[in-house]
mmCIF file of all heavy atoms in Angstrom:
data_model
loop_
_atom_site.group_PDB
_atom_site.id
_atom_site.type_symbol
_atom_site.label_atom_id
_atom_site.label_comp_id
_atom_site.label_asym_id
_atom_site.label_seq_id
_atom_site.Cartn_x
_atom_site.Cartn_y
_atom_site.Cartn_z
ATOM 1 N N ASP A 262 -36.127 20.694 65.280
ATOM 2 C CA ASP A 262 -37.388 19.964 65.189
ATOM 3 C C ASP A 262 -37.624 19.470 63.764
ATOM 4 O O ASP A 262 -38.061 18.326 63.548
ATOM 5 C CB ASP A 262 -38.546 20.867 65.620
ATOM 6 C CG ASP A 262 -38.544 21.121 67.119
ATOM 7 O OD1 ASP A 262 -37.874 20.341 67.843
ATOM 8 O OD2 ASP A 262 -39.184 22.085 67.563
ATOM 9 N N GLU A 263 -37.315 20.313 62.780
ATOM 10 C CA GLU A 263 -37.497 19.914 61.387
ATOM 11 C C GLU A 263 -36.543 18.783 61.013
ATOM 12 O O GLU A 263 -36.919 17.845 60.298
ATOM 13 C CB GLU A 263 -37.270 21.120 60.476
ATOM 14 C CG GLU A 263 -38.365 22.171 60.576
ATOM 15 C CD GLU A 263 -38.018 23.441 59.829
ATOM 16 O OE1 GLU A 263 -36.807 23.728 59.677
ATOM 17 O OE2 GLU A 263 -38.934 24.152 59.388
ATOM 18 N N ALA A 264 -35.287 18.880 61.501
ATOM 19 C CA ALA A 264 -34.316 17.826 61.213
ATOM 20 C C ALA A 264 -34.751 16.506 61.834
ATOM 21 O O ALA A 264 -34.649 15.442 61.212
ATOM 22 C CB ALA A 264 -32.936 18.229 61.732
ATOM 23 N N ALA A 265 -35.253 16.574 63.074
ATOM 24 C CA ALA A 265 -35.711 15.358 63.748
ATOM 25 C C ALA A 265 -36.910 14.752 63.010
ATOM 26 O O ALA A 265 -37.010 13.525 62.875
ATOM 27 C CB ALA A 265 -36.071 15.674 65.195
ATOM 28 N N ALA A 266 -37.797 15.622 62.533
ATOM 29 C CA ALA A 266 -38.967 15.123 61.805
ATOM 30 C C ALA A 266 -38.540 14.471 60.493
ATOM 31 O O ALA A 266 -39.063 13.415 60.110
ATOM 32 C CB ALA A 266 -39.929 16.280 61.538
ATOM 33 N N GLY A 267 -37.585 15.080 59.816
ATOM 34 C CA GLY A 267 -37.105 14.499 58.566
ATOM 35 C C GLY A 267 -36.440 13.159 58.790
ATOM 36 O O GLY A 267 -36.641 12.207 58.016
ATOM 37 N N LEU A 268 -35.667 13.051 59.863
ATOM 38 C CA LEU A 268 -35.006 11.789 60.191
ATOM 39 C C LEU A 268 -36.027 10.722 60.551
ATOM 40 O O LEU A 268 -35.915 9.558 60.130
ATOM 41 C CB LEU A 268 -34.019 12.007 61.338
ATOM 42 C CG LEU A 268 -33.147 10.815 61.741
ATOM 43 C CD1 LEU A 268 -32.304 10.341 60.567
ATOM 44 C CD2 LEU A 268 -32.246 11.200 62.916
ATOM 45 N N ALA A 269 -37.050 11.114 61.310
ATOM 46 C CA ALA A 269 -38.104 10.167 61.695
ATOM 47 C C ALA A 269 -38.841 9.652 60.458
ATOM 48 O O ALA A 269 -39.196 8.464 60.382
ATOM 49 C CB ALA A 269 -39.080 10.834 62.666
ATOM 50 N N ALA A 270 -39.052 10.529 59.486
ATOM 51 C CA ALA A 270 -39.734 10.104 58.261
ATOM 52 C C ALA A 270 -38.898 9.091 57.493
ATOM 53 O O ALA A 270 -39.434 8.100 56.960
ATOM 54 C CB ALA A 270 -40.024 11.326 57.388
ATOM 55 N N LEU A 271 -37.596 9.315 57.431
ATOM 56 C CA LEU A 271 -36.709 8.363 56.750
ATOM 57 C C LEU A 271 -36.660 7.033 57.497
ATOM 58 O O LEU A 271 -36.598 5.966 56.876
ATOM 59 C CB LEU A 271 -35.300 8.956 56.617
ATOM 60 C CG LEU A 271 -35.153 10.100 55.606
ATOM 61 C CD1 LEU A 271 -33.775 10.734 55.717
ATOM 62 C CD2 LEU A 271 -35.380 9.587 54.182
ATOM 63 N N GLU A 272 -36.669 7.087 58.822
ATOM 64 C CA GLU A 272 -36.681 5.851 59.618
ATOM 65 C C GLU A 272 -37.954 5.059 59.339
ATOM 66 O O GLU A 272 -37.918 3.824 59.191
ATOM 67 C CB GLU A 272 -36.568 6.191 61.103
ATOM 68 C CG GLU A 272 -35.195 6.707 61.513
ATOM 69 C CD GLU A 272 -35.181 7.197 62.949
ATOM 70 O OE1 GLU A 272 -36.280 7.378 63.530
ATOM 71 O OE2 GLU A 272 -34.067 7.413 63.493
ATOM 72 N N ALA A 273 -39.079 5.751 59.266
ATOM 73 C CA ALA A 273 -40.358 5.080 58.991
ATOM 74 C C ALA A 273 -40.361 4.482 57.589
ATOM 75 O O ALA A 273 -40.847 3.354 57.376
ATOM 76 C CB ALA A 273 -41.506 6.074 59.151
ATOM 77 N N GLU A 274 -39.788 5.209 56.636
ATOM 78 C CA GLU A 274 -39.728 4.723 55.267
ATOM 79 C C GLU A 274 -38.883 3.458 55.175
ATOM 80 O O GLU A 274 -39.275 2.478 54.531
ATOM 81 C CB GLU A 274 -39.145 5.812 54.359
ATOM 82 C CG GLU A 274 -39.041 5.416 52.888
ATOM 83 C CD GLU A 274 -38.354 6.478 52.050
ATOM 84 O OE1 GLU A 274 -37.954 7.527 52.604
ATOM 85 O OE2 GLU A 274 -38.193 6.267 50.828
ATOM 86 N N ALA A 275 -37.732 3.458 55.844
ATOM 87 C CA ALA A 275 -36.853 2.281 55.806
ATOM 88 C C ALA A 275 -37.483 1.104 56.531
ATOM 89 O O ALA A 275 -37.349 -0.054 56.101
ATOM 90 C CB ALA A 275 -35.496 2.630 56.421
ATOM 91 N N ALA A 276 -38.183 1.367 57.642
ATOM 92 C CA ALA A 276 -38.830 0.287 58.391
ATOM 93 C C ALA A 276 -39.970 -0.336 57.592
ATOM 94 O O ALA A 276 -40.211 -1.552 57.677
ATOM 95 C CB ALA A 276 -39.341 0.829 59.727
ATOM 96 N N ALA A 277 -40.665 0.477 56.811
ATOM 97 C CA ALA A 277 -41.798 -0.036 56.027
ATOM 98 C C ALA A 277 -41.346 -0.866 54.838
ATOM 99 O O ALA A 277 -42.117 -1.705 54.344
ATOM 100 C CB ALA A 277 -42.655 1.129 55.548
ATOM 101 N N ALA A 278 -40.112 -0.642 54.397
ATOM 102 C CA ALA A 278 -39.604 -1.386 53.227
ATOM 103 C C ALA A 278 -38.179 -1.846 53.527
ATOM 104 O O ALA A 278 -37.210 -1.264 53.051
ATOM 105 C CB ALA A 278 -39.643 -0.512 51.979
ATOM 106 N N PRO A 279 -38.035 -2.898 54.349
ATOM 107 C CA PRO A 279 -36.707 -3.332 54.784
ATOM 108 C C PRO A 279 -35.787 -3.757 53.649
ATOM 109 O O PRO A 279 -34.561 -3.745 53.810
ATOM 110 C CB PRO A 279 -36.999 -4.520 55.710
ATOM 111 C CG PRO A 279 -38.462 -4.640 55.826
ATOM 112 C CD PRO A 279 -39.124 -3.686 54.915
ATOM 113 N N ASP A 280 -36.357 -4.132 52.516
ATOM 114 C CA ASP A 280 -35.535 -4.564 51.381
ATOM 115 C C ASP A 280 -35.157 -3.410 50.453
ATOM 116 O O ASP A 280 -34.444 -3.626 49.467
ATOM 117 C CB ASP A 280 -36.272 -5.636 50.567
ATOM 118 C CG ASP A 280 -36.498 -6.915 51.372
ATOM 119 O OD1 ASP A 280 -35.653 -7.201 52.245
ATOM 120 O OD2 ASP A 280 -37.500 -7.597 51.131
ATOM 121 N N ASP A 281 -35.645 -2.227 50.760
ATOM 122 C CA ASP A 281 -35.344 -1.057 49.929
ATOM 123 C C ASP A 281 -34.001 -0.475 50.381
ATOM 124 O O ASP A 281 -33.932 0.305 51.323
ATOM 125 C CB ASP A 281 -36.462 -0.016 50.064
ATOM 126 C CG ASP A 281 -36.277 1.163 49.103
ATOM 127 O OD1 ASP A 281 -35.166 1.323 48.565
ATOM 128 O OD2 ASP A 281 -37.245 1.934 48.926
ATOM 129 N N LEU A 282 -32.937 -0.869 49.687
ATOM 130 C CA LEU A 282 -31.593 -0.442 50.097
ATOM 131 C C LEU A 282 -31.363 1.039 49.831
ATOM 132 O O LEU A 282 -30.573 1.676 50.541
ATOM 133 C CB LEU A 282 -30.539 -1.291 49.381
ATOM 134 C CG LEU A 282 -30.617 -2.801 49.657
ATOM 135 C CD1 LEU A 282 -29.430 -3.523 49.018
ATOM 136 C CD2 LEU A 282 -30.652 -3.078 51.159
ATOM 137 N N ASP A 283 -32.061 1.586 48.836
ATOM 138 C CA ASP A 283 -31.956 3.037 48.598
ATOM 139 C C ASP A 283 -32.466 3.805 49.813
ATOM 140 O O ASP A 283 -31.851 4.785 50.239
ATOM 141 C CB ASP A 283 -32.754 3.433 47.354
ATOM 142 C CG ASP A 283 -32.026 3.064 46.068
ATOM 143 O OD1 ASP A 283 -30.988 3.682 45.791
ATOM 144 O OD2 ASP A 283 -32.485 2.153 45.366
ATOM 145 N N ALA A 284 -33.597 3.367 50.347
ATOM 146 C CA ALA A 284 -34.157 4.039 51.516
ATOM 147 C C ALA A 284 -33.226 3.908 52.717
ATOM 148 O O ALA A 284 -33.032 4.864 53.481
ATOM 149 C CB ALA A 284 -35.539 3.445 51.845
ATOM 150 N N ARG A 285 -32.622 2.738 52.868
ATOM 151 C CA ARG A 285 -31.697 2.517 53.991
ATOM 152 C C ARG A 285 -30.452 3.399 53.827
ATOM 153 O O ARG A 285 -29.922 3.930 54.813
ATOM 154 C CB ARG A 285 -31.303 1.036 54.033
ATOM 155 C CG ARG A 285 -30.666 0.581 55.342
ATOM 156 C CD ARG A 285 -31.689 0.586 56.475
ATOM 157 N NE ARG A 285 -31.137 0.158 57.732
ATOM 158 C CZ ARG A 285 -31.241 -1.085 58.211
ATOM 159 N NH1 ARG A 285 -31.898 -2.019 57.524
ATOM 160 N NH2 ARG A 285 -30.731 -1.400 59.374
ATOM 161 N N PHE A 286 -30.017 3.579 52.585
ATOM 162 C CA PHE A 286 -28.835 4.405 52.337
ATOM 163 C C PHE A 286 -29.146 5.873 52.629
ATOM 164 O O PHE A 286 -28.321 6.591 53.219
ATOM 165 C CB PHE A 286 -28.384 4.224 50.889
ATOM 166 C CG PHE A 286 -27.025 4.792 50.593
ATOM 167 C CD1 PHE A 286 -25.875 4.235 51.152
ATOM 168 C CD2 PHE A 286 -26.876 5.885 49.755
ATOM 169 C CE1 PHE A 286 -24.620 4.750 50.872
ATOM 170 C CE2 PHE A 286 -25.633 6.406 49.465
ATOM 171 C CZ PHE A 286 -24.492 5.841 50.024
ATOM 172 N N ARG A 287 -30.343 6.334 52.228
ATOM 173 C CA ARG A 287 -30.739 7.713 52.544
ATOM 174 C C ARG A 287 -30.818 7.918 54.044
ATOM 175 O O ARG A 287 -30.397 8.968 54.567
ATOM 176 C CB ARG A 287 -32.086 8.035 51.888
ATOM 177 C CG ARG A 287 -32.021 8.182 50.373
ATOM 178 C CD ARG A 287 -33.293 8.838 49.824
ATOM 179 N NE ARG A 287 -34.475 8.010 50.073
ATOM 180 C CZ ARG A 287 -34.891 7.048 49.255
ATOM 181 N NH1 ARG A 287 -34.225 6.782 48.147
ATOM 182 N NH2 ARG A 287 -35.983 6.357 49.531
ATOM 183 N N LEU A 288 -31.295 6.927 54.752
ATOM 184 C CA LEU A 288 -31.365 7.011 56.208
ATOM 185 C C LEU A 288 -29.962 7.079 56.806
ATOM 186 O O LEU A 288 -29.704 7.874 57.723
ATOM 187 C CB LEU A 288 -32.129 5.806 56.765
ATOM 188 C CG LEU A 288 -32.181 5.685 58.294
ATOM 189 C CD1 LEU A 288 -32.811 6.921 58.919
ATOM 190 C CD2 LEU A 288 -32.934 4.414 58.705
ATOM 191 N N ALA A 289 -29.045 6.256 56.298
ATOM 192 C CA ALA A 289 -27.667 6.273 56.804
ATOM 193 C C ALA A 289 -27.040 7.655 56.614
ATOM 194 O O ALA A 289 -26.394 8.191 57.520
ATOM 195 C CB ALA A 289 -26.839 5.212 56.091
ATOM 196 N N ASN A 290 -27.248 8.250 55.440
ATOM 197 C CA ASN A 290 -26.689 9.573 55.176
ATOM 198 C C ASN A 290 -27.298 10.627 56.090
ATOM 199 O O ASN A 290 -26.608 11.534 56.568
ATOM 200 C CB ASN A 290 -26.911 9.955 53.714
ATOM 201 C CG ASN A 290 -25.944 9.233 52.788
ATOM 202 O OD1 ASN A 290 -24.850 8.859 53.200
ATOM 203 N ND2 ASN A 290 -26.341 9.034 51.541
ATOM 204 N N ALA A 291 -28.601 10.507 56.332
ATOM 205 C CA ALA A 291 -29.251 11.451 57.239
ATOM 206 C C ALA A 291 -28.693 11.314 58.650
ATOM 207 O O ALA A 291 -28.514 12.313 59.360
ATOM 208 C CB ALA A 291 -30.758 11.214 57.235
ATOM 209 N N ARG A 292 -28.404 10.101 59.050
ATOM 210 C CA ARG A 292 -27.830 9.898 60.383
ATOM 211 C C ARG A 292 -26.401 10.448 60.458
ATOM 212 O O ARG A 292 -25.981 10.961 61.504
ATOM 213 C CB ARG A 292 -27.874 8.416 60.739
ATOM 214 C CG ARG A 292 -29.267 7.977 61.161
ATOM 215 C CD ARG A 292 -29.387 6.509 61.443
ATOM 216 N NE ARG A 292 -30.629 6.227 62.152
ATOM 217 C CZ ARG A 292 -31.238 5.050 62.173
ATOM 218 N NH1 ARG A 292 -30.724 4.025 61.495
ATOM 219 N NH2 ARG A 292 -32.355 4.884 62.850
ATOM 220 N N VAL A 293 -25.665 10.341 59.357
ATOM 221 C CA VAL A 293 -24.343 10.968 59.319
ATOM 222 C C VAL A 293 -24.476 12.469 59.528
ATOM 223 O O VAL A 293 -23.761 13.082 60.329
ATOM 224 C CB VAL A 293 -23.631 10.670 57.978
ATOM 225 C CG1 VAL A 293 -22.405 11.556 57.806
ATOM 226 C CG2 VAL A 293 -23.222 9.204 57.911
ATOM 227 N N ALA A 294 -25.414 13.097 58.802
ATOM 228 C CA ALA A 294 -25.624 14.538 58.925
ATOM 229 C C ALA A 294 -26.040 14.929 60.339
ATOM 230 O O ALA A 294 -25.705 16.012 60.820
ATOM 231 C CB ALA A 294 -26.674 15.003 57.921
#
Side-chain angles (χ1 to χ4, degrees):
D262 288 342
E263 290 171 333
L268 185 59
L271 289 172
E272 289 173 346
E274 180 185 0
D280 296 330
D281 186 344
L282 300 186
D283 283 292
R285 196 69 180 263
F286 192 67
R287 289 194 297 273
L288 175 58
N290 284 333
R292 283 176 166 157
V293 168

